Amino acid sequence: MGNTNRVMKPLGLFFLLCLIPIWVFSQAISVKGTVKDPLGESVIGASVVEKGTTNGTITDLDGNFTLQTPQGAVLVISFIGYKTQEVTVNGTTPLRITILEDTKILDEVVVIGYGTQRREAVTGSVSSIREDAIREIPSTNITQALQGRIAGVDMTQTSTKPGQAMQIRIRGTRSLTASNDPLIVLDGIPFAGSINDIDPNSIKTIDILKDASATAIYGSRGANGVIMITTNRGLKNMAAQVTYNGYYGVKNAIKYPMMDGPKFAKLRADAKQTATDLGKSFSNDNSSDEKDNVNTDWQDLLFRQGIVTSHDIGIVKGSADGNYTFGLGYYKDQAVVPTSEYQRISMRFAADQNIGKYIRVGLTSNSSYGYTQGGQVGIGDALGSSPLADPYDADGNLKRATFSSQDVIKVWTKESIEAVEDLWLNESKTFGSYNNAYAEIEAPWVQGLKYRMNLGLNIRTTTGGGFTGKGATSPTNPNELSSASVSNSLTTNWTVENLLSYDRTFADVHHVNVTAMYSAEQTKYNRSAFSVRDFPADHFQ
């Protein structure tokens, strides 16, 4: 024992000496500072974060900040339009920090309608996002990739059905009866399809016009804002490249917080006791299907593990006189609710070619085929079923329905839905092809003078249908009449634009840019639908 004590005392002293510097270093100090720009003006709302942590704050109206950090911590200061800067806390306070402008951002070219501008020359409100940022988030369409990443643009998910786009509001809700959706312009031509038809992997940039300049360029069509989408194209003298981009993931439902069996049984017992104490009757006793010792998790019985996968192959090449791009994509989103999924096959092609010195022509084609299944199955029955009701009978077979107190509810589980999959269908098939061509002629006798003609030809067709077999969904009537519905729609659109532009810089300081345009556009939409009840045989569907 004596030897053990002599060993333990030096070890304890050693650990104590090791912990003292760690304890001293971990003690937070109050760091104060001021963030200014190169002109000495206060930067309001700059982000000040301790590197490697979520500990941070923002500067106030005078550019000041206060943050509790350990001695020796590194502060990361960032603000839109300025270079990110790092400062080490060395005990000197207050800190005086000057952040520099990011000239790369000011030199970026943004699409502003019938032309482009350097960002520093744009006076209106324009937000932009590039392809690398879009691809950071696996998504069905660009609305999911943009959510929460563009200032002043509100994205709201109004449906959990796979393949559904978010509701986009750029300038708020401006009308009670007319559409509040923004105008989408794809490669310079107003887009006549659904945003789901555009493969996010084909997008190079997205520029969003949010103020009155959108209306000035596009008239009343731009009253709700404009989303300018530019797809990928080859570059001059670019060697041939083949690219692949893909991912695979699984999805699990986040269950709604519901009472389990014991809690629900206690709630009923307490309610009954309260009613008895008040001299009132209680009519919500257990039904013939309910027992206090049963604990059924209906959400576990309904939800499945979904998957999401995407595969995209692209080929791009450029030469001194032209370039081309070709791509194929496949996307699948399988929901956690059985039978519900969305699939999309997309193809894109783009080519640009110089003809001589003054003429340039090009063609862009984006086509897609989308298939949506499901939508008839909801989670209402799962949330409305009693946890005290057993979905299985004495033989272990699924019941048709359960009697929960005063309600009769159809038993919907993964197994019961799959059993009626051929008798309970809902699907939609969509094909869209969006094509535009251009020819551009540069006047050899007047420097900066160009004429361009844009031609857009678009078509989109949708076929949808639903079928409910005899007694397939009724909780009590196995002889309920069958029903079916079919709908078809066709949208055709053409656009012709003639643009004359003059763009020239004089004496390296005076810049003149004038654009004149004449445009004509026509859109036709036709839809037909019919429904029927009581099929002679379910296999007709």
Side-chain angles (χ1 to χ4, degrees):
M1 291 296 295
N3 292 336
T4 302
N5 288 334
R6 283 195 295 272
V7 173
M8 292 299 294
K9 287 180 180 179
L11 285 176
L13 180 62
F14 172 76
F15 283 117
L16 179 61
L17 292 175
C18 291
L19 289 174
I20 287 175
I22 296 175
W23 177 81
V24 172
F25 181 80
S26 63
Q27 297 304 299
I29 62 174
S30 180
V31 178
K32 296 183 179 181
T34 303
V35 179
K36 295 184 179 293
D37 64 14
L39 298 178
E41 298 293 333
S42 299
V43 179
I44 303 171
S47 173
V48 182
V49 180
E50 180 186 345
K51 189 175 183 178
T53 72
T54 57
N55 178 31
T57 184
I58 61 174
T59 56
D60 60 18
L61 295 175
D62 297 318
N64 300 321
F65 68 90
T66 301
L67 187 65
Q68 300 291 325
T69 64
Q71 183 74 8
V74 177
L75 301 183
V76 180
I77 297 91
S78 59
F79 189 71
I80 297 175
Y82 291 83
K83 295 181 178 179
T84 299
Q85 189 168 331
E86 296 185 358
V87 177
T88 301
V89 177
N90 55 12
T92 303
T93 187
L95 300 174
R96 300 185 182 278
I97 304 168
T98 301
I99 55 177
L100 303 177
E101 292 181 350
D102 191 343
T103 55
K104 289 184 178 180
I105 293 179
L106 297 178
D107 288 336
E108 284 183 355
V109 175
V110 295
V111 179
I112 57 170
Y114 297 102
T116 59
Q117 283 278 12
R118 290 177 59 202
R119 182 174 293 278
E120 67 173 1
V122 177
T123 58
S125 179
V126 180
S127 295
S128 303
I129 187 168
R130 298 294 181 257
E131 59 181 327
D132 53 346
I134 296 174
R135 295 181 183 179
E136 288 176 356
I137 301 178
S139 57
T140 307
N141 52 64
I142 61 172
T143 58
Q144 296 170 348
L146 295 178
Q147 187 180 29
R149 309 179 75 181
I150 300 292
V153 180
D154 182 27
M155 304 278 187
T156 305
Q157 188 72 58
T158 59
S159 173
T160 57
K161 189 176 179 180
Q164 295 299 300
M166 293 185 176
Q167 180 189 81
I168 307 175
R169 293 292 180 265
I170 295 178
R171 304 179 69 183
T173 301
R174 302 164 56 85
S175 175
L176 295 176
T177 57
S179 173
N180 290 287
D181 295 332
L183 173 67
I184 299 175
V185 178
L186 179 64
D187 289 325
I189 298 294
F191 186 60
S194 167
I195 204 166
N196 281 331
D197 299 339
I198 304 174
D199 185 355
N201 292 297
S202 68
I203 296 175
K204 181 179 180 180
T205 62
I206 297 177
D207 298 286
I208 300 180
L209 313 183
K210 296 183 289 185
D211 61 8
S213 63
T215 305
I217 296 172
Y218 290 101
S220 60
R221 294 178 299 173
N224 297 318
V226 181
I227 299 179
M228 312 285 300
I229 300 176
T230 304
T231 57
N232 289 308
R233 309 183 83 87
L235 301 177
K236 186 177 181 180
N237 295 322
M238 184 179 185
Q241 294 183 359
V242 179
T243 60
Y244 168 77
N245 180 34
Y247 57 83
Y248 180 92
V250 297
K251 302 191 298 181
N252 291 292
I254 299 177
K255 295 192 297 184
Y256 289 85
M258 307 292 290
M259 280 189 179
D260 57 17
K263 289 181 180 179
F264 193 56
K266 186 177 184 304
L267 175 68
R268 277 191 175 171
D270 292 344
K272 185 174 183 179
Q273 183 60 49
T274 301
T276 302
D277 293 342
L278 295 175
K280 298 183 179 295
S281 60
F282 184 78
S283 59
N284 288 321
D285 288 320
N286 287 354
S287 69
S288 58
D289 278 346
E290 293 177 307
K291 296 179 180 178
D292 286 349
N293 61 349
V294 173
N295 184 17
T296 302
D297 190 331
W298 291 96
Q299 296 184 74
D300 272 349
L301 294 176
L302 174 65
F303 293 132
R304 67 180 177 184
Q305 185 178 73
I307 64 169
V308 57
T309 183
S310 175
H311 305 276
D312 184 82
I313 298 175
I315 302 173
V316 60
K317 187 181 186 303
S319 64
D321 295 322
N323 57 73
Y324 70 84
T325 302
F326 177 79
L328 284 173
Y330 172 75
Y331 178 85
K332 180 178 180 179
D333 183 2
Q334 186 184 76
V336 294
V337 178
T339 73
S340 185
E341 68 177 43
Y342 171 75
Q343 298 183 61
R344 179 184 62 224
I345 300 173
S346 58
M347 182 183 72
R348 59 188 182 277
F349 174 78
D352 302 281
Q353 182 65 45
N354 291 335
I355 302 176
K357 186 177 180 180
Y358 300 106
I359 301 177
R360 185 173 179 83
V361 296
L363 172 68
T364 303
S365 178
N366 286 277
S367 301
S368 67
Y369 171 79
Y371 173 74
T372 304
Q373 179 185 2
Q376 75 276 17
V377 182
I379 63 173
D381 288 342
L383 299 180
S385 299
S386 169
L388 303 177
D390 193 339
Y392 299 97
D393 59 21
D395 297 327
N397 300 317
L398 279 172
K399 299 176 182 177
R400 184 180 186 87
T402 60
F403 295 83
S404 303
S405 184
Q406 299 177 350
D407 300 319
V408 181
I409 300 178
K410 186 78 168 68
V411 171
W412 288 127
T413 66
K414 291 185 285 288
E415 292 81 4
S416 64
I417 292 173
E418 290 172 357
V420 296
E421 187 173 359
D422 291 334
L423 298 176
W424 196 21
L425 309 173
N426 190 313
E427 65 180 23
S428 176
K429 301 175 182 178
T430 301
F431 173 77
S433 183
Y434 311 98
N435 312 277
N436 66 73
Y438 75 87
E440 187 175 83
I441 303 174
E442 183 176 350
W445 58 87
V446 180
Q447 182 181 350
L449 181 64
K450 292 181 180 180
Y451 166 77
R452 179 184 175 108
M453 184 184 73
N454 296 326
L455 175 63
L457 297 172
N458 308 306
I459 183 172
R460 188 174 194 267
T461 177
T462 300
T463 299
F467 171 74
T468 302
K470 185 176 181 180
T473 60
S474 174
T476 58
N477 182 13
N479 296 315
E480 182 185 34
L481 298 179
S482 59
S483 62
S485 62
V486 174
S487 64
N488 296 277
S489 66
L490 175 64
T491 302
T492 57
N493 167 271
W494 60 259
T495 303
V496 177
E497 296 177 341
N498 296 275
L499 294 98
L500 189 65
S501 62
Y502 180 70
D503 189 350
R504 189 173 177 183
T505 301
F506 298 91
D508 295 328
V509 292
H510 305 291
H511 184 211
V512 177
N513 188 311
V514 180
T515 300
M517 187 196 74
Y518 174 77
S519 174
E521 180 181 355
Q522 182 186 77
T523 300
K524 289 184 177 181
Y525 175 75
N526 294 285
R527 183 179 185 273
S528 61
F530 68 89
S531 60
V532 66
R533 288 177 61 85
D534 192 15
F535 274 79
D538 283 344
H539 62 263
F540 285 137
Q541 294 186 338

